[in-house]
Amino acid sequence: MDLRRAGTRYPGGDPEAGIASLHAFSFGAHYDPDNLRFGPVIACNEERLAPGAGFDEHPHSHTEIVTWVVEGELTHRDTTGHETVVRPGDVQRLSSAGGVRHVERNDGSAPLTFVQMWLAPLDPGGDPAYEIVRGIADSTPYAVPEAGAMLHVRRLGRTGERTAVPDAARAYVHVVRGVVRLGPHELEPGDAVRAEDEKGLELVAVAAPVEVLVWELGE
């Protein structure tokens, strides 16, 4: 298991414009040839937008973009005609495929925090697609077959409660809130573990409530 602490993430964004970003992988000006990806996962960005702040229209291609809102509301608009507000508990996916442009903003009156994860598709190209699942439950994994990946949301409501991490060739674990133990590691918000060929792993709540995003990844 490869433990990555929140404090080691690459800072980014534009603080003067109300945007603060933390990047788990090589990103933009923070180029690290030893930290380009983990399986299909090529980015895990924590974004904080002040009220009225956001990312103006910009392009994406050949990327599966999955967004999880931690607090606040995210307004999404894209060039395929979708306009939605994403709230905590919702899973949003933009399959940029051959190319799409979108806008992401905090049009609300409260601060917005979200985690955005980018995955490389197995077969680049095709037509863009969009999907949002409202209020996804713990027992409902979210499949991204284009990247050979499955997202599991794990929520633990009391100290000592535990839940299994799926046995997989690779698992990427990102802590959203609370404190949780995974194997020998105690993880806090923003911490992540990259596990390969691990079996029988469990998440145990140390300080609840806990919310964890777990990617079940193939070879």
Side-chain angles (χ1 to χ4, degrees):
M1 288 191 290
D2 181 8
L3 171 64
R4 305 289 179 113
R5 294 293 186 189
T8 65
R9 290 174 171 251
Y10 313 119
D14 184 352
E16 292 187 1
I19 302 171
S21 305
L22 291 172
H23 305 291
F25 293 86
S26 183
F27 199 95
H30 296 281
Y31 177 69
D32 182 351
D34 296 322
N35 189 26
L36 297 178
R37 63 190 295 167
F38 181 68
V41 181
I42 56 177
C44 180
N45 304 331
E46 294 184 26
E47 307 286 1
R48 291 173 171 80
L49 304 183
F55 300 101
D56 294 332
E57 187 175 294
H58 57 281
H60 288 281
S61 62
H62 313 304
T63 310
E64 300 295 316
I65 303 169
V66 179
T67 303
W68 181 263
V69 172
V70 180
E71 61 179 357
E73 296 184 343
L74 171 65
T75 297
H76 164 95
R77 293 189 297 274
D78 64 49
T79 50
T80 61
H82 299 99
E83 181 168 351
T84 52
V85 176
V86 189
R87 300 179 176 87
D90 300 340
V91 172
Q92 175 188 259
R93 177 166 64 101
L94 177 63
S95 181
S96 61
V100 69
R101 301 177 67 87
H102 73 155
V103 175
E104 297 167 297
R105 296 197 57 80
N106 180 5
D107 289 333
S109 59
L112 165 66
T113 302
F114 64 96
V115 179
Q116 190 168 89
M117 297 150 287
W118 299 5
L119 293 87
L122 299 172
D123 299 305
D127 297 322
Y130 179 84
E131 183 176 41
I132 184 166
V133 177
R134 300 290 189 186
I136 195 165
D138 291 15
S139 58
T140 307
Y142 181 76
V144 185
E146 292 82 356
M150 189 91 71
L151 176 64
H152 302 263
V153 180
R154 295 289 189 251
R155 302 180 182 95
L156 303 173
R158 63 183 185 278
T159 300
E161 188 176 352
R162 59 185 61 216
T163 186
V165 174
D167 291 340
R170 293 186 178 95
Y172 185 80
V173 179
H174 173 86
V175 180
V176 175
R177 69 178 84 248
V179 181
V180 66
R181 183 176 299 108
L182 178 61
H185 304 301
E186 191 167 286
L187 309 176
E188 299 183 353
D191 290 349
V193 165
R194 307 173 191 187
E196 294 191 75
D197 297 319
E198 293 281 352
K199 307 295 183 184
L201 290 178
E202 283 191 320
L203 295 164
V204 183
V206 175
V210 166
E211 187 173 80
V212 182
L213 303 177
V214 180
W215 280 104
E216 180 182 354
L217 309 169
E219 297 289 344

